[in-house]
mmCIF file of all heavy atoms in Angstrom:
data_model
loop_
_atom_site.group_PDB
_atom_site.id
_atom_site.type_symbol
_atom_site.label_atom_id
_atom_site.label_comp_id
_atom_site.label_asym_id
_atom_site.label_seq_id
_atom_site.Cartn_x
_atom_site.Cartn_y
_atom_site.Cartn_z
ATOM 1 N N ASN A 1 -36.567 73.687 189.145
ATOM 2 C CA ASN A 1 -36.344 72.477 188.372
ATOM 3 C C ASN A 1 -35.392 72.693 187.204
ATOM 4 O O ASN A 1 -35.296 71.860 186.325
ATOM 5 C CB ASN A 1 -37.673 71.922 187.877
ATOM 6 C CG ASN A 1 -38.581 71.576 189.034
ATOM 7 O OD1 ASN A 1 -38.132 71.070 190.049
ATOM 8 N ND2 ASN A 1 -39.854 71.879 188.898
ATOM 9 N N ILE A 2 -34.714 73.821 187.174
ATOM 10 C CA ILE A 2 -33.719 74.102 186.151
ATOM 11 C C ILE A 2 -32.341 73.910 186.771
ATOM 12 O O ILE A 2 -32.034 74.478 187.818
ATOM 13 C CB ILE A 2 -33.872 75.541 185.600
ATOM 14 C CG1 ILE A 2 -35.251 75.715 184.973
ATOM 15 C CG2 ILE A 2 -32.768 75.831 184.591
ATOM 16 C CD1 ILE A 2 -35.554 77.133 184.549
ATOM 17 N N TRP A 3 -31.536 73.095 186.120
ATOM 18 C CA TRP A 3 -30.178 72.813 186.591
ATOM 19 C C TRP A 3 -29.187 73.423 185.610
ATOM 20 O O TRP A 3 -29.241 73.173 184.411
ATOM 21 C CB TRP A 3 -29.965 71.306 186.704
ATOM 22 C CG TRP A 3 -30.820 70.701 187.767
ATOM 23 C CD1 TRP A 3 -32.146 70.378 187.671
ATOM 24 C CD2 TRP A 3 -30.423 70.371 189.092
ATOM 25 N NE1 TRP A 3 -32.595 69.865 188.859
ATOM 26 C CE2 TRP A 3 -31.561 69.841 189.750
ATOM 27 C CE3 TRP A 3 -29.219 70.447 189.789
ATOM 28 C CZ2 TRP A 3 -31.525 69.404 191.067
ATOM 29 C CZ3 TRP A 3 -29.177 70.003 191.091
ATOM 30 C CH2 TRP A 3 -30.314 69.507 191.722
ATOM 31 N N ILE A 4 -28.292 74.256 186.144
ATOM 32 C CA ILE A 4 -27.336 75.009 185.342
ATOM 33 C C ILE A 4 -25.958 74.360 185.433
ATOM 34 O O ILE A 4 -25.518 73.949 186.510
ATOM 35 C CB ILE A 4 -27.253 76.476 185.834
ATOM 36 C CG1 ILE A 4 -28.642 77.123 185.847
ATOM 37 C CG2 ILE A 4 -26.270 77.276 185.006
ATOM 38 C CD1 ILE A 4 -29.309 77.224 184.510
ATOM 39 N N LEU A 5 -25.258 74.318 184.332
ATOM 40 C CA LEU A 5 -23.928 73.732 184.265
ATOM 41 C C LEU A 5 -22.899 74.650 184.904
ATOM 42 O O LEU A 5 -22.849 75.839 184.592
ATOM 43 C CB LEU A 5 -23.561 73.481 182.801
ATOM 44 C CG LEU A 5 -22.213 72.848 182.525
ATOM 45 C CD1 LEU A 5 -22.201 71.400 183.011
ATOM 46 C CD2 LEU A 5 -21.918 72.901 181.038
ATOM 47 N N ASP A 6 -22.089 74.107 185.803
ATOM 48 C CA ASP A 6 -20.943 74.838 186.337
ATOM 49 C C ASP A 6 -19.769 74.559 185.407
ATOM 50 O O ASP A 6 -19.199 73.469 185.406
ATOM 51 C CB ASP A 6 -20.622 74.386 187.765
ATOM 52 C CG ASP A 6 -19.509 75.216 188.379
ATOM 53 O OD1 ASP A 6 -18.426 75.304 187.759
ATOM 54 O OD2 ASP A 6 -19.706 75.768 189.467
ATOM 55 N N LYS A 7 -19.419 75.547 184.588
ATOM 56 C CA LYS A 7 -18.390 75.360 183.557
ATOM 57 C C LYS A 7 -16.977 75.275 184.134
ATOM 58 O O LYS A 7 -16.086 74.749 183.488
ATOM 59 C CB LYS A 7 -18.482 76.490 182.537
ATOM 60 C CG LYS A 7 -19.781 76.450 181.749
ATOM 61 C CD LYS A 7 -19.917 77.604 180.811
ATOM 62 C CE LYS A 7 -20.548 78.732 181.578
ATOM 63 N NZ LYS A 7 -21.056 79.821 180.800
ATOM 64 N N GLU A 8 -16.777 75.781 185.338
ATOM 65 C CA GLU A 8 -15.449 75.710 185.953
ATOM 66 C C GLU A 8 -15.126 74.303 186.452
ATOM 67 O O GLU A 8 -13.998 73.843 186.347
ATOM 68 C CB GLU A 8 -15.356 76.713 187.114
ATOM 69 C CG GLU A 8 -15.489 78.156 186.702
ATOM 70 C CD GLU A 8 -14.364 78.611 185.788
ATOM 71 O OE1 GLU A 8 -13.201 78.253 186.041
ATOM 72 O OE2 GLU A 8 -14.655 79.326 184.808
ATOM 73 N N LEU A 9 -16.111 73.615 186.997
ATOM 74 C CA LEU A 9 -15.886 72.276 187.543
ATOM 75 C C LEU A 9 -16.044 71.175 186.496
ATOM 76 O O LEU A 9 -15.447 70.110 186.620
ATOM 77 C CB LEU A 9 -16.873 72.007 188.690
ATOM 78 C CG LEU A 9 -16.750 72.876 189.932
ATOM 79 C CD1 LEU A 9 -17.875 72.558 190.910
ATOM 80 C CD2 LEU A 9 -15.395 72.688 190.584
ATOM 81 N N SER A 10 -16.829 71.421 185.477
ATOM 82 C CA SER A 10 -17.182 70.389 184.500
ATOM 83 C C SER A 10 -16.095 70.230 183.441
ATOM 84 O O SER A 10 -15.310 71.141 183.195
ATOM 85 C CB SER A 10 -18.495 70.747 183.812
ATOM 86 O OG SER A 10 -19.534 70.865 184.754
ATOM 87 N N GLU A 11 -16.099 69.055 182.803
ATOM 88 C CA GLU A 11 -15.162 68.809 181.705
ATOM 89 C C GLU A 11 -15.792 67.878 180.680
ATOM 90 O O GLU A 11 -16.614 67.027 181.017
ATOM 91 C CB GLU A 11 -13.844 68.228 182.213
ATOM 92 C CG GLU A 11 -13.966 66.898 182.911
ATOM 93 C CD GLU A 11 -12.649 66.393 183.488
ATOM 94 O OE1 GLU A 11 -11.675 67.146 183.541
ATOM 95 O OE2 GLU A 11 -12.612 65.225 183.887
ATOM 96 N N ILE A 12 -15.419 68.104 179.423
ATOM 97 C CA ILE A 12 -15.851 67.250 178.323
ATOM 98 C C ILE A 12 -14.599 66.821 177.574
ATOM 99 O O ILE A 12 -13.875 67.655 177.025
ATOM 100 C CB ILE A 12 -16.830 67.980 177.384
ATOM 101 C CG1 ILE A 12 -18.084 68.397 178.146
ATOM 102 C CG2 ILE A 12 -17.184 67.087 176.194
ATOM 103 C CD1 ILE A 12 -19.071 69.218 177.330
ATOM 104 N N LYS A 13 -14.346 65.512 177.565
ATOM 105 C CA LYS A 13 -13.153 64.953 176.927
ATOM 106 C C LYS A 13 -13.569 64.034 175.792
ATOM 107 O O LYS A 13 -14.700 63.575 175.730
ATOM 108 C CB LYS A 13 -12.326 64.173 177.951
ATOM 109 C CG LYS A 13 -11.770 65.045 179.053
ATOM 110 C CD LYS A 13 -10.885 64.243 179.981
ATOM 111 C CE LYS A 13 -10.240 65.175 180.993
ATOM 112 N NZ LYS A 13 -9.258 64.483 181.819
ATOM 113 N N PHE A 14 -12.615 63.758 174.900
ATOM 114 C CA PHE A 14 -12.875 62.843 173.798
ATOM 115 C C PHE A 14 -11.634 62.020 173.500
ATOM 116 O O PHE A 14 -10.519 62.401 173.854
ATOM 117 C CB PHE A 14 -13.332 63.598 172.540
ATOM 118 C CG PHE A 14 -12.309 64.567 172.005
ATOM 119 C CD1 PHE A 14 -11.347 64.162 171.092
ATOM 120 C CD2 PHE A 14 -12.309 65.887 172.422
ATOM 121 C CE1 PHE A 14 -10.410 65.061 170.596
ATOM 122 C CE2 PHE A 14 -11.378 66.790 171.939
ATOM 123 C CZ PHE A 14 -10.429 66.375 171.029
ATOM 124 N N GLU A 15 -11.867 60.876 172.873
ATOM 125 C CA GLU A 15 -10.754 60.050 172.418
ATOM 126 C C GLU A 15 -11.133 59.365 171.114
ATOM 127 O O GLU A 15 -12.282 59.004 170.895
ATOM 128 C CB GLU A 15 -10.320 59.040 173.471
ATOM 129 C CG GLU A 15 -11.370 58.109 173.962
ATOM 130 C CD GLU A 15 -10.880 57.232 175.108
ATOM 131 O OE1 GLU A 15 -10.538 57.791 176.176
ATOM 132 O OE2 GLU A 15 -10.861 56.003 174.932
ATOM 133 N N LEU A 16 -10.126 59.240 170.248
ATOM 134 C CA LEU A 16 -10.293 58.618 168.941
ATOM 135 C C LEU A 16 -9.124 57.670 168.724
ATOM 136 O O LEU A 16 -7.972 58.106 168.690
ATOM 137 C CB LEU A 16 -10.336 59.693 167.849
ATOM 138 C CG LEU A 16 -10.353 59.232 166.399
ATOM 139 C CD1 LEU A 16 -11.597 58.404 166.113
ATOM 140 C CD2 LEU A 16 -10.284 60.422 165.466
ATOM 141 N N PRO A 17 -9.396 56.377 168.599
ATOM 142 C CA PRO A 17 -8.310 55.412 168.385
ATOM 143 C C PRO A 17 -7.601 55.617 167.040
ATOM 144 O O PRO A 17 -8.231 55.909 166.029
ATOM 145 C CB PRO A 17 -9.020 54.061 168.406
ATOM 146 C CG PRO A 17 -10.326 54.311 169.078
ATOM 147 C CD PRO A 17 -10.684 55.724 168.760
ATOM 148 N N VAL A 18 -6.278 55.458 167.082
ATOM 149 C CA VAL A 18 -5.442 55.564 165.887
ATOM 150 C C VAL A 18 -4.548 54.328 165.845
ATOM 151 O O VAL A 18 -3.993 53.925 166.867
ATOM 152 C CB VAL A 18 -4.586 56.851 165.910
ATOM 153 C CG1 VAL A 18 -3.731 56.959 164.657
ATOM 154 C CG2 VAL A 18 -5.459 58.083 166.064
ATOM 155 N N LEU A 19 -4.384 53.746 164.677
ATOM 156 C CA LEU A 19 -3.593 52.532 164.509
ATOM 157 C C LEU A 19 -2.097 52.821 164.688
ATOM 158 O O LEU A 19 -1.561 53.755 164.099
ATOM 159 C CB LEU A 19 -3.850 51.938 163.120
ATOM 160 C CG LEU A 19 -3.166 50.615 162.800
ATOM 161 C CD1 LEU A 19 -3.728 49.504 163.692
ATOM 162 C CD2 LEU A 19 -3.351 50.271 161.337
ATOM 163 N N LEU A 20 -1.435 52.044 165.515
ATOM 164 C CA LEU A 20 0.025 52.006 165.702
ATOM 165 C C LEU A 20 0.654 53.238 166.355
ATOM 166 O O LEU A 20 1.865 53.293 166.506
ATOM 167 C CB LEU A 20 0.750 51.718 164.380
ATOM 168 C CG LEU A 20 0.362 50.413 163.681
ATOM 169 C CD1 LEU A 20 1.085 50.300 162.353
ATOM 170 C CD2 LEU A 20 0.660 49.218 164.561
ATOM 171 N N VAL A 21 -0.133 54.228 166.704
ATOM 172 C CA VAL A 21 0.403 55.397 167.421
ATOM 173 C C VAL A 21 -0.551 55.729 168.565
ATOM 174 O O VAL A 21 -1.613 55.126 168.710
ATOM 175 C CB VAL A 21 0.591 56.637 166.506
ATOM 176 C CG1 VAL A 21 1.652 56.389 165.453
ATOM 177 C CG2 VAL A 21 -0.711 57.057 165.868
ATOM 178 N N GLU A 22 -0.158 56.718 169.342
ATOM 179 C CA GLU A 22 -1.004 57.139 170.464
ATOM 180 C C GLU A 22 -2.350 57.650 169.952
ATOM 181 O O GLU A 22 -2.415 58.361 168.948
ATOM 182 C CB GLU A 22 -0.285 58.245 171.243
ATOM 183 C CG GLU A 22 -1.013 58.699 172.475
ATOM 184 C CD GLU A 22 -0.269 59.811 173.224
ATOM 185 O OE1 GLU A 22 0.835 60.201 172.806
ATOM 186 O OE2 GLU A 22 -0.829 60.287 174.212
ATOM 187 N N ASP A 23 -3.426 57.258 170.628
ATOM 188 C CA ASP A 23 -4.765 57.719 170.267
ATOM 189 C C ASP A 23 -4.858 59.233 170.354
ATOM 190 O O ASP A 23 -4.118 59.877 171.098
ATOM 191 C CB ASP A 23 -5.817 57.102 171.198
ATOM 192 C CG ASP A 23 -5.963 55.605 171.004
ATOM 193 O OD1 ASP A 23 -5.454 55.068 169.997
ATOM 194 O OD2 ASP A 23 -6.607 54.968 171.860
ATOM 195 N N VAL A 24 -5.768 59.813 169.600
ATOM 196 C CA VAL A 24 -6.058 61.239 169.715
ATOM 197 C C VAL A 24 -6.905 61.417 170.974
ATOM 198 O O VAL A 24 -7.969 60.820 171.109
ATOM 199 C CB VAL A 24 -6.824 61.759 168.483
ATOM 200 C CG1 VAL A 24 -7.220 63.217 168.679
ATOM 201 C CG2 VAL A 24 -6.007 61.581 167.215
ATOM 202 N N ASN A 25 -6.402 62.204 171.901
ATOM 203 C CA ASN A 25 -7.110 62.509 173.151
ATOM 204 C C ASN A 25 -7.188 64.012 173.301
ATOM 205 O O ASN A 25 -6.233 64.723 172.967
ATOM 206 C CB ASN A 25 -6.376 61.926 174.361
ATOM 207 C CG ASN A 25 -6.412 60.425 174.369
ATOM 208 O OD1 ASN A 25 -7.475 59.833 174.460
ATOM 209 N ND2 ASN A 25 -5.249 59.803 174.253
ATOM 210 N N GLY A 26 -8.300 64.483 173.811
ATOM 211 C CA GLY A 26 -8.422 65.916 174.008
ATOM 212 C C GLY A 26 -9.633 66.269 174.842
ATOM 213 O O GLY A 26 -10.301 65.408 175.411
ATOM 214 N N GLN A 27 -9.856 67.572 174.913
ATOM 215 C CA GLN A 27 -11.005 68.080 175.647
ATOM 216 C C GLN A 27 -11.446 69.400 175.041
ATOM 217 O O GLN A 27 -10.704 70.039 174.298
ATOM 218 C CB GLN A 27 -10.687 68.253 177.117
ATOM 219 C CG GLN A 27 -9.658 69.314 177.423
ATOM 220 C CD GLN A 27 -9.381 69.407 178.915
ATOM 221 O OE1 GLN A 27 -9.799 68.560 179.694
ATOM 222 N NE2 GLN A 27 -8.672 70.431 179.314
ATOM 223 N N PHE A 28 -12.687 69.771 175.366
ATOM 224 C CA PHE A 28 -13.215 71.075 174.978
ATOM 225 C C PHE A 28 -13.215 71.956 176.216
ATOM 226 O O PHE A 28 -13.601 71.517 177.296
ATOM 227 C CB PHE A 28 -14.632 70.933 174.420
ATOM 228 C CG PHE A 28 -14.685 70.164 173.134
ATOM 229 C CD1 PHE A 28 -15.029 68.823 173.123
ATOM 230 C CD2 PHE A 28 -14.372 70.786 171.938
ATOM 231 C CE1 PHE A 28 -15.077 68.111 171.943
ATOM 232 C CE2 PHE A 28 -14.406 70.079 170.749
ATOM 233 C CZ PHE A 28 -14.761 68.740 170.748
ATOM 234 N N THR A 29 -12.776 73.191 176.056
ATOM 235 C CA THR A 29 -12.686 74.096 177.200
ATOM 236 C C THR A 29 -13.844 75.095 177.263
ATOM 237 O O THR A 29 -14.033 75.737 178.290
ATOM 238 C CB THR A 29 -11.352 74.864 177.179
ATOM 239 O OG1 THR A 29 -11.272 75.615 175.962
ATOM 240 C CG2 THR A 29 -10.176 73.906 177.282
ATOM 241 N N LYS A 30 -14.599 75.225 176.168
ATOM 242 C CA LYS A 30 -15.737 76.149 176.157
ATOM 243 C C LYS A 30 -16.996 75.378 175.787
ATOM 244 O O LYS A 30 -17.105 74.842 174.673
ATOM 245 C CB LYS A 30 -15.508 77.290 175.174
ATOM 246 C CG LYS A 30 -14.386 78.214 175.585
ATOM 247 C CD LYS A 30 -14.219 79.344 174.612
ATOM 248 C CE LYS A 30 -13.037 80.218 175.011
ATOM 249 N NZ LYS A 30 -12.757 81.241 174.004
ATOM 250 N N PHE A 31 -17.927 75.335 176.715
ATOM 251 C CA PHE A 31 -19.196 74.644 176.516
ATOM 252 C C PHE A 31 -20.206 75.210 177.501
ATOM 253 O O PHE A 31 -19.847 75.896 178.454
ATOM 254 C CB PHE A 31 -19.036 73.127 176.690
ATOM 255 C CG PHE A 31 -18.287 72.734 177.933
ATOM 256 C CD1 PHE A 31 -18.941 72.574 179.143
ATOM 257 C CD2 PHE A 31 -16.917 72.532 177.899
ATOM 258 C CE1 PHE A 31 -18.253 72.222 180.292
ATOM 259 C CE2 PHE A 31 -16.211 72.171 179.041
ATOM 260 C CZ PHE A 31 -16.880 72.019 180.238
ATOM 261 N N ASP A 32 -21.465 74.924 177.259
ATOM 262 C CA ASP A 32 -22.520 75.412 178.134
ATOM 263 C C ASP A 32 -23.724 74.484 178.005
ATOM 264 O O ASP A 32 -23.785 73.679 177.082
ATOM 265 C CB ASP A 32 -22.911 76.839 177.754
ATOM 266 C CG ASP A 32 -23.534 77.604 178.898
ATOM 267 O OD1 ASP A 32 -23.829 76.991 179.956
ATOM 268 O OD2 ASP A 32 -23.753 78.815 178.751
ATOM 269 N N GLY A 33 -24.653 74.622 178.922
ATOM 270 C CA GLY A 33 -25.849 73.821 178.847
ATOM 271 C C GLY A 33 -26.647 73.857 180.123
ATOM 272 O O GLY A 33 -26.234 74.446 181.129
ATOM 273 N N SER A 34 -27.799 73.218 180.062
ATOM 274 C CA SER A 34 -28.662 73.130 181.232
ATOM 275 C C SER A 34 -29.583 71.926 181.089
ATOM 276 O O SER A 34 -29.723 71.351 180.010
ATOM 277 C CB SER A 34 -29.489 74.410 181.403
ATOM 278 O OG SER A 34 -30.310 74.617 180.285
#
C-alpha cells in the first residue's frame, strides 16, 4: 500500500502571472515523495 514516486517520469511545474510581459513559467527538477 506504499506508492513511490518515479522521479524520471514525473514533473512539477509552476506559473506566476506578470502584468504586460510573459508570465513566469518553470519547473522543479529535484523532488521526492510517496
Side-chain angles (χ1 to χ4, degrees):
N1 300 321
I2 299 173
W3 294 80
I4 305 298
L5 181 69
D6 185 306
K7 294 176 273 194
E8 297 296 318
L9 296 175
S10 301
E11 61 184 11
I12 299 176
K13 296 184 175 187
F14 62 89
E15 57 186 63
L16 173 62
V18 181
L19 184 66
L20 302 176
V21 294
E22 184 180 358
D23 292 347
V24 175
N25 292 297
Q27 66 181 11
F28 294 99
T29 59
K30 293 182 183 174
F31 48 87
D32 204 351
S34 61

